[in-house]
């Protein structure tokens, strides 16, 4: 389910950076590992919340399920392998409450949007023509908004913090690149009691270069 995109201030800043990147003709090349790129992605996101509370024979459970959305991202490489980058994504998540009392269960379903933004500066270490290591210092932002729970709305919540990412890129074939990374974020996971909490995340990606300047990619982050 796609909804009209209403940009937050962080999203406006990131898209302004994306607009400046569009004025640069450099894009990712298949013959070397570059940090000049612009991408647009379809995403499936699941916050993986599964909580339950029991008292006196009654119980209340909360569960989220995956839904889809989009992401735009870009990077620009400048002085001596340094680069700046930005990401902005928005995806829906399904939400379900189950209240069990007196032997009967009542379910209430709804959904909400997950807005994420990241930006920062990074540095790449070219090991050779096919291998490169990199690290990034990031500012991370997350917002849960547009709650619709059984036709009722709830307050939005957001937070931001710092993060760090380190990864490895490998040009396995002239047209195939593989990437693996780990990252830490002050707001890496949702905590139903505290709001957001720090966490360590990991991911893998693969890019198949159809032409020198165009690639398709797939990835997974946990």
């Amino acid at each position: 389910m796609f909804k009209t995109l209403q940009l937050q201030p962080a999203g406006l800043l990131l898209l302004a950076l994306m607009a400046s990147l569009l004025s640069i003709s450099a894009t990712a090349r298949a013959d070397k590992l570059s940090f000049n790129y612009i991408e647009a992605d379809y995403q499936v996101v699941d916050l993986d919340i599964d909580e339950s509370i029991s008292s006196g024979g009654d119980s209340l459970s909360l569960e989220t399920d995956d839904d889809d959305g989009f992401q735009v991202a870009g990077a620009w490489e400048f002085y001596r392998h340094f680069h700046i980058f930005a990401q902005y994504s928005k995806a829906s998540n399904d939400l379900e409450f189950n209240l069990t009392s007196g032997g009967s269960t009542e379910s209430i379903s709804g959904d909400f949007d997950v807005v994420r933004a990241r930006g920062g500066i990074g540095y790449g270490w070219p090991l050779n023509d096919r291998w490169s290591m990199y690290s990034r210092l990031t500012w991370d932002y997350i917002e849960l908004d547009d709650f619709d729970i059984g036709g009722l709305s709830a307050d939005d919540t957001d937070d931001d913090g710092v993060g760090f990412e380190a990864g490895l890129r490998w040009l396995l074939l002239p047209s195939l690149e593989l990437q693996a990374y780990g990252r830490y974020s002050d707001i890496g996971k949702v905590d139903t009691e505290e709001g957001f909490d720090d966490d360590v995340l990991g991911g893998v990606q693969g890019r198949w270069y159809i032409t020198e300047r165009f690639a398709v990619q797939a990835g997974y982050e946990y």
Side-chain angles (χ1 to χ4, degrees), residues 139-216:
W139 167 81
D140 302 344
Y141 172 85
I142 186 171
E143 180 179 5
L144 309 182
D145 64 2
D146 291 341
F147 281 90
D148 183 352
I149 306 171
L152 301 176
S153 61
D155 292 338
D156 301 342
T157 181
D158 60 38
D159 202 354
D160 62 72
V162 298
F164 177 79
E165 178 180 336
L168 185 66
R169 299 174 63 185
W170 178 29
L171 196 60
L172 176 62
L173 300 171
S175 58
L176 178 62
E177 177 193 338
L178 302 179
Q179 178 180 350
Y181 64 88
R183 67 182 185 92
Y184 164 86
S185 176
D186 278 346
I187 51 171
K189 67 178 179 180
V190 177
D191 188 314
T192 54
E193 295 182 359
E194 301 295 333
F196 301 96
D197 202 357
D198 62 333
D199 202 4
V200 176
L201 305 92
V204 292
Q205 290 183 338
R207 298 180 184 90
W208 180 264
Y209 290 87
I210 299 175
T211 69
E212 192 176 81
R213 290 180 174 268
F214 182 78
V216 294

Side-chain angles (χ1 to χ4, degrees), residues 76-87:
W76 175 50
E77 190 171 357
F78 59 105
Y79 180 73
R80 294 185 181 273
H81 306 298
F82 283 96
H83 66 274
I84 57 175
F85 80 101
Q87 298 175 350

Side-chain angles (χ1 to χ4, degrees), residues 14-15 17-18 21 37 72-75 84-88 118-120:
L14 290 172
L15 288 188
L17 174 59
M18 295 298 301
L21 292 172
Y37 63 83
V72 290
I84 57 175
F85 80 101
Q87 298 175 350
Y88 179 88
R118 296 178 68 220

Side-chain angles (χ1 to χ4, degrees), residues 65-170:
D65 200 2
D66 59 78
D67 210 335
D68 58 7
F70 72 92
Q71 174 178 278
V72 290
W76 175 50
E77 190 171 357
F78 59 105
Y79 180 73
R80 294 185 181 273
H81 306 298
F82 283 96
H83 66 274
I84 57 175
F85 80 101
Q87 298 175 350
Y88 179 88
S89 66
K90 186 173 185 178
S92 295
N93 247 221
D94 293 329
L95 179 67
E96 183 174 350
F97 286 94
N98 292 301
L99 175 61
T100 301
S101 178
S104 63
T105 300
E106 181 180 359
S107 297
I108 302 175
S109 60
D111 58 35
F112 60 96
D113 289 338
V114 183
V115 177
R116 296 180 186 270
R118 296 178 68 220
I121 187 169
Y123 184 82
W125 289 272
L127 303 178
N128 52 45
D129 290 341
R130 292 184 175 272
W131 289 88
S132 178
M133 297 176 60
Y134 72 92
S135 62
R136 287 171 167 174
L137 182 64
T138 69
W139 167 81
D140 302 344
Y141 172 85
I142 186 171
E143 180 179 5
L144 309 182
D145 64 2
D146 291 341
F147 281 90
D148 183 352
I149 306 171
L152 301 176
S153 61
D155 292 338
D156 301 342
T157 181
D158 60 38
D159 202 354
D160 62 72
V162 298
F164 177 79
E165 178 180 336
L168 185 66
R169 299 174 63 185
W170 178 29

